[in-house]
């Protein structure tokens, strides 16, 4: 009887070890972007390349569209805790926990490809430093296209800031709330996965969004009008791994991930055809039934960009800590 119990215990221990080993061979990669986004296709390719290099040593399994139920605003909490092994992060979503990160590079502060290319090396350095303070290692980056941000509205065209003051506007980051508040516009953060319902039910009247990606969230189904407001460069998405997890990761796995991440960066850090893609996206929106109006007037755009500049400085000061120094490093890189 004792031998039977002993053998059963050993069998269960071995089974548990096998399960643990099996689990250790799979890394879950959380991607909060919709699966229809071009960046998601690039991340899928990155994952395939990593898996091809590693063979049976380890499998990275990507979960797109926020399918794991992890909120992107909580990334600095769930990633170090081991909820997933790897996750996409975007600094501008992390202002609640890391105000210094969200004020490194605010939307609208850079409006040309030349300035973006000057700033990116410094921005990447800052991200690596700041994420490490949160127990996250930056193991790769995904460049975001040079975007054109437009105002999409449900019931009537809005083509001036004055008209926008009478509407409830959806935005996606705190700096946008601050900027539009300065302009007298009521703006609220609504995650992109909730934007469709918010527009459809009238929680908001208008939504700020790039035409390039509008079809991926079906904005053409819940809005009838759109007009361009401002050009927007963004800091890159970061592929993060818990620093503790990364420290104990086999060198061969690290090499596979970082070399594939370099290829991913080289593929995405290209901006030559961004404007042509934007124009094609607008044509698609028009074909889907949206009335594309005239751009916001130059004087309104100038007022908006002035408000953005003020917001950047104020948010950096409010964040305190390293934030003012981070902002200054970016300004120095830009030669401002």
């Amino acid at each position: 009887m004792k031998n039977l119990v002993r053998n059963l215990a050993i069998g269960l221990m071995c089974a548990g070890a096998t399960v643990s080993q099996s689990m250790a061979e799979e890394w879950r990669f959380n991607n909060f972007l919709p699966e229809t986004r071009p960046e998601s296709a690039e991340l899928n390719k990155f994952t395939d390349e990593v898996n091809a290099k590693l063979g049976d040593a380890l499998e990275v399994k990507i979960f797109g569209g926020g399918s794991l139920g992890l909120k992107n605003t909580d990334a600095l909490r769930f990633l170090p805790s081991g909820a997933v092994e790897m996750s996409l992060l975007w600094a501008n979503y992390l202002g609640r926990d890391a105000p210094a990160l969200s004020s490194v590079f605010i939307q609208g502060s850079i409006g040309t490809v030349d300035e973006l290319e000057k700033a990116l090396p410094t921005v990447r350095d800052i991200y690596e430093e700041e994420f490490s303070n949160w127990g996250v290692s930056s193991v790769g980056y995904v460049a975001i296209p040079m975007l054109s941000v437009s105002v999409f509205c449900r019931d009537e065209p809005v083509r001036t800031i004055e008209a926008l003051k009478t509407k409830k506007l959806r935005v996606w980051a705190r700096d946008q709330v601050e900027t539009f508040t300065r302009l007298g516009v009521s703006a609220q953060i609504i995650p992109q996965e909730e934007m469709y319902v918010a527009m459809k039910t009238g929680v908001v009247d208008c939504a700020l969004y790039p035409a390039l990606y509008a079809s991926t969230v079906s904005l053409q189904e819940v809005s009838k009008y759109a007009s361009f407001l401002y050009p927007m460069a963004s800091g890159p998405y970061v592929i993060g791994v818990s620093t503790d997890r990364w420290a104990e990761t086999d060198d061969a796995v690290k090499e596979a991930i970082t070399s594939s991440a370099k290829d991913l960066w080289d593929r995405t850090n290209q901006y030559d055809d961004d404007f042509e893609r934007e124009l094609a996206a607008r044509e698609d929106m028009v074909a889907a039934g949206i009335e594309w109006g005239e751009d916001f007037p130059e004087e309104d755009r100038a007022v908006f960009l002035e408000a953005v500049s003020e917001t950047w400085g104020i948010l950096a000061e409010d964040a305190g800590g390293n934030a003012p120094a981070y902002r200054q490093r970016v300004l120095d890189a830009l030669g401002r």
Side-chain angles (χ1 to χ4, degrees):
M1 183 65 178
K2 289 183 179 179
N3 287 338
L4 178 61
V5 173
R6 179 175 176 275
N7 291 340
L8 179 59
I10 292 173
L12 289 171
M13 290 173 62
C14 290
T18 301
V19 170
S20 297
Q21 183 178 11
S22 176
M23 290 177 65
E25 291 175 351
E26 178 181 285
W27 276 25
R28 294 155 299 166
F29 181 9
N30 174 60
N31 169 25
F32 58 78
L33 293 172
E35 294 184 9
T36 49
R37 284 277 287 266
E39 293 96 330
S40 291
E42 290 291 352
L43 289 167
N44 290 338
K45 185 175 181 179
F46 158 77
T47 302
D48 289 343
E49 289 182 359
V50 171
N51 289 335
K53 291 175 181 177
L54 292 176
D56 295 331
L58 181 145
E59 179 186 7
V60 177
K61 188 173 182 180
I62 191 167
F63 295 84
S67 58
L68 291 175
L70 299 169
K71 293 184 178 181
N72 45 39
T73 52
D74 293 336
L76 295 178
R77 303 182 185 190
F78 68 68
L79 188 55
S81 72
V84 289
E85 287 71 34
M86 182 182 288
S87 183
L88 195 69
L89 309 100
W90 194 43
N92 294 72
Y93 284 155
L94 304 174
R96 180 196 62 203
D97 293 335
L101 265 178
S102 65
S103 59
V104 170
F105 195 140
I106 74 166
Q107 290 121 121
S109 57
I110 292 176
T112 68
V113 172
D114 285 346
E115 284 197 324
L116 175 62
E117 291 178 337
K118 289 179 182 177
L120 279 175
T122 298
V123 170
R124 284 182 49 170
D125 287 345
I126 292 171
Y127 283 178
E128 185 171 345
E129 295 167 20
E130 186 67 16
F131 277 117
S132 70
N133 292 335
W134 289 89
V136 173
S137 293
S138 307
V139 302
Y141 299 88
V142 185
I144 299 175
M146 186 74 191
L147 298 172
S148 297
V149 179
S150 297
V151 177
F152 290 80
C153 294
R154 280 170 27 110
D155 301 321
E156 60 181 353
V158 173
R159 296 168 186 163
T160 66
I161 289 176
E162 193 62 32
L164 198 55
K165 290 178 182 179
T166 67
K167 305 298 180 184
K168 294 173 291 185
L169 177 67
R170 176 269 174 182
V171 297
W172 63 79
R174 181 193 168 196
D175 57 274
Q176 293 171 324
V177 173
E178 298 289 339
T179 295
F180 281 105
T181 298
R182 277 189 173 72
L183 297 172
V185 176
S186 174
Q188 60 180 301
I189 297 172
I190 295 177
Q192 63 184 1
E193 63 269 20
E194 299 173 15
M195 179 172 55
Y196 181 96
V197 173
M199 285 284 283
K200 189 175 182 65
T201 59
V203 172
V204 290
D205 306 299
C206 304
L208 210 63
Y209 213 73
L212 185 62
Y213 298 145
S215 64
T216 69
V217 289
S218 303
L219 259 182
Q220 73 278 8
E221 296 178 6
V222 289
S223 55
K224 298 177 182 177
Y225 307 95
S227 290
F228 166 73
L229 177 55
Y230 67 98
M232 186 190 83
S234 292
Y237 295 116
V238 177
I239 299 173
V241 176
S242 161
T243 298
D244 290 342
R245 163 78 65 169
W246 193 242
E248 64 188 25
T249 297
D250 183 83
D251 287 343
V253 174
K254 287 182 176 179
E255 170 59 25
I257 291 173
T258 55
S259 61
S260 297
K262 181 183 182 303
D263 292 341
L264 171 63
W265 175 251
D266 291 342
R267 289 196 307 271
T268 58
N269 189 31
Q270 306 289 334
Y271 310 97
D272 292 342
D273 63 348
D274 286 350
F275 187 61
E276 287 74 16
R277 292 167 60 204
E278 164 70 17
L279 295 180
R282 292 184 192 181
E283 290 180 4
D284 290 343
M285 290 288 100
V286 171
I290 284 185
E291 180 182 309
W292 202 276
E294 295 180 0
D295 297 349
F296 277 64
E298 286 291 342
E299 54 267 32
D300 276 12
R301 290 159 62 189
V303 167
F304 174 80
L305 293 175
E306 183 179 347
V308 167
S309 181
E310 292 176 6
T311 296
W312 193 10
I314 291 170
L315 288 182
E317 290 298 325
D318 287 349
N322 292 325
Y326 288 160
R327 176 175 177 268
Q328 190 58 53
R329 284 167 64 180
V330 175
L331 290 172
D332 289 345
L334 294 169
R336 292 184 186 175

